[in-house]
Amino acid sequence: MTSEVIIDVQPKDISIALLEDKELVEYQNEPRSASYAVGNIYIGKVRKLMPGLNACFVDVGSERDAFLHYLDLGLQFSSFEKYLKQVASDRKKLFPLQKATRMPDLPKEGSIQNMLKVGQEVLVQVVKEPINTKGPRLTCDLSFAGRYMVLIPFGDKVSVSSKIKKGEERSRLKQLVQSMKPKNFGVIVRTVAEGKRAAELDQELKVLLKRWEDAITRVQKTTERPQLVFEEQSRSVALIRDLFNPTYDGIHVNDPDIYNQIHDYVALIAPERPTSSNSTMVACLFLITSTLPNKSNRDSDAPSTTSEGPISSLNTLRLCMWSM
C-alpha cells in the first residue's frame, strides 16, 4: 500500500489530505488565525505595573494585554535582561548565548516594580492562551520543546524524565546530552528518548538550538515591538504530527515556509523520508475539496471516512488527481 500526504496552504486556512493507494481516506482543514498559542515567544513591552498583584501587563499584540507575575520572571531573568541589552547593542553581529555572563538567580521574594518599568522590553513565552476577557499568561522562563528533549536557554542542568526507570539508561542519556549541549543551556530529556541513539539526540538538539538562534536573531534584527519571534509548531506541523507515519511515500507542500517547518519536523523522526514540493499534486487537492460530500466529522467540518469505508466519489477523485 502506498501512502501520501498533500498539504494545501492558503492565507486563511490549511488543508491536509491523506491518500492510501491513491484514494482519499482522511481530510482535515484548519483556520490560520492568530491564537497566541502556548509556546509562542514574543519580544513585548511592559504596559502597566500592578504592585498589588506583584505582576504587570505586557503588550504582545493581543487584543488584551498579557499577564506576567513576578514569580514567572524565572530565576534567570537578570541573565536574560543583561543578554538582551548585549543583543540590542549590535544589530549586525549576534552575541552568542554561550559567551553570556550568568547573573545571580532572581530572589523568590521580590517585587515586580524593582525589576521592571513601563515601556521596558521583555522576552516572554505564552503559557496560557487568552480566554474570554483575559489576555494570555506569560513567563520569562523560556523553553523549546522537541520530541526527545526540551531546551532551556540559561539553564545549566540535564534532567532525565522520571518515567525512565532503568538507572543505566538514565546515566547514559544524561552523559550523552551533557557532552552535546553548549554552555548556558539546560536540557530536559523526555521519556521517548529512552533507547535512542546519540545521533538522533544530537540531531534534535541542533534543531532546537537553531530555533533559539532564529528567535534571538529576530529580536536583534527587528525594531518593531511587540514582535513574534518564535511560533510554537504551526497548524500544519500540528496536523501532520497527528497524521504522520514514517512509511509515507511522500509529503507534498505548496508553501516554502510551511515546507521548511515540516521538513525540520520530519527530519527529526524520520530523516530518511525527506519532503518534496509538488505544485501539481496540490492543484489536485482543490478537486478533492470541491468534490467532497457535505458531511462532518468530529475533528473538522470537512468529511473524512464513514463506517462503510472511504468517502464517496473516490473513484472520480482518484482519476482526477492522477491524470494531472
Side-chain angles (χ1 to χ4, degrees):
M1 181 180 71
T2 61
S3 299
E4 290 186 291
V5 176
I6 306 172
I7 304 167
D8 175 39
V9 182
Q10 297 299 319
K12 294 184 178 181
D13 59 15
I14 295 177
S15 301
I16 295 185
L18 172 61
L19 309 179
E20 292 182 354
D21 288 335
K22 304 181 183 180
E23 292 191 344
L24 179 66
V25 294
E26 188 161 354
Y27 174 80
Q28 292 191 26
N29 177 271
E30 293 281 350
R32 297 184 70 186
S33 57
S35 60
Y36 298 91
V38 171
N40 284 2
I41 298 176
Y42 297 84
I43 181 75
K45 277 192 174 184
V46 176
R47 176 90 77 175
K48 184 178 181 180
L49 297 176
M50 303 290 290
L53 298 175
N54 204 15
C56 68
F57 288 105
V58 180
D59 178 15
V60 294
S62 59
E63 183 178 351
R64 295 185 179 274
D65 289 338
F67 182 81
L68 175 64
H69 193 273
Y70 173 83
L71 293 177
D72 292 321
L73 293 178
L75 294 177
Q76 296 304 318
F77 178 78
S78 298
S79 299
F80 271 111
E81 186 179 29
K82 182 176 180 179
Y83 179 65
L84 285 177
K85 291 178 180 177
Q86 292 174 309
V87 168
S89 66
D90 190 343
R91 299 288 182 183
K92 295 182 179 180
K93 186 178 180 180
L94 181 64
F95 187 77
L97 187 73
Q98 293 90 320
K99 295 183 179 180
T101 302
R102 290 176 61 90
M103 305 297 290
D105 289 356
L106 198 71
K108 292 184 178 180
E109 294 186 2
S111 59
I112 196 81
Q113 63 263 41
N114 291 336
M115 298 306 304
L116 295 173
K117 60 183 179 181
V118 174
Q120 181 175 338
E121 293 186 3
V122 283
L123 192 60
V124 292
Q125 189 166 31
V126 177
V127 293
K128 189 174 182 179
E129 295 182 8
I131 182 171
N132 297 329
T133 59
K134 296 182 179 180
R137 178 144 188 171
L138 307 174
T139 181
C140 292
D141 204 3
L142 309 183
S143 62
F144 295 81
R147 185 175 176 87
Y148 303 130
M149 62 186 74
V150 179
L151 181 71
I152 304 171
F154 274 120
D156 61 352
K157 297 180 180 179
V158 174
S159 304
V160 180
S161 168
S162 60
K163 293 182 179 180
I164 298 178
K165 302 297 184 182
K166 295 182 180 178
E168 184 178 344
E169 176 65 359
R170 292 178 62 85
S171 298
R172 182 188 76 91
L173 289 170
K174 189 168 186 176
Q175 290 174 7
L176 268 179
V177 175
Q178 188 71 52
S179 67
M180 295 173 183
K181 79 172 188 69
K183 181 183 176 182
N184 283 340
F185 286 95
V187 173
I188 300 172
V189 181
R190 308 181 76 169
T191 308
V192 290
E194 186 172 10
K196 297 302 178 183
R197 297 177 293 110
E200 294 175 280
L201 300 176
D202 184 56
Q203 183 182 26
E204 173 160 286
L205 181 59
K206 288 177 180 177
V207 170
L208 296 179
L209 287 168
K210 181 66 164 54
R211 290 177 185 173
W212 156 255
E213 185 178 331
D214 288 346
I216 201 64
T217 298
R218 290 191 184 97
V219 174
Q220 177 200 27
K221 299 293 186 183
T222 60
T223 56
E224 183 181 349
R225 302 290 185 260
Q227 180 81 228
L228 173 67
V229 297
F230 172 74
E231 186 173 8
E232 178 62 42
Q233 209 170 70
S234 68
R235 288 305 305 153
S236 59
V237 179
L239 286 171
I240 204 166
R241 178 196 60 201
D242 297 336
L243 293 173
F244 185 76
N245 185 311
T247 63
Y248 284 166
D249 296 280
I251 301 174
H252 307 277
V253 192
N254 70 337
D255 181 274
D257 291 335
I258 300 300
Y259 165 84
N260 289 329
Q261 294 176 32
I262 293 173
H263 184 276
D264 288 345
Y265 174 75
V266 174
L268 291 178
I269 58 176
E272 74 283 0
R273 298 287 183 180
T275 58
S276 63
S277 178
N278 189 323
S279 59
T280 302
M281 290 296 291
V282 173
C284 295
L285 181 58
F286 296 124
L287 292 175
I288 296 175
T289 57
S290 64
T291 314
L292 287 170
N294 186 22
K295 294 183 180 180
S296 61
N297 59 38
R298 63 174 184 231
D299 296 321
S300 133
D301 290 334
S304 177
T305 59
T306 66
S307 58
E308 291 80 17
I311 62 175
S312 61
S313 302
L314 271 182
N315 290 334
T316 303
L317 289 172
R318 180 180 60 188
L319 293 173
C320 289
M321 290 179 62
W322 292 94
S323 63
M324 301 182 72

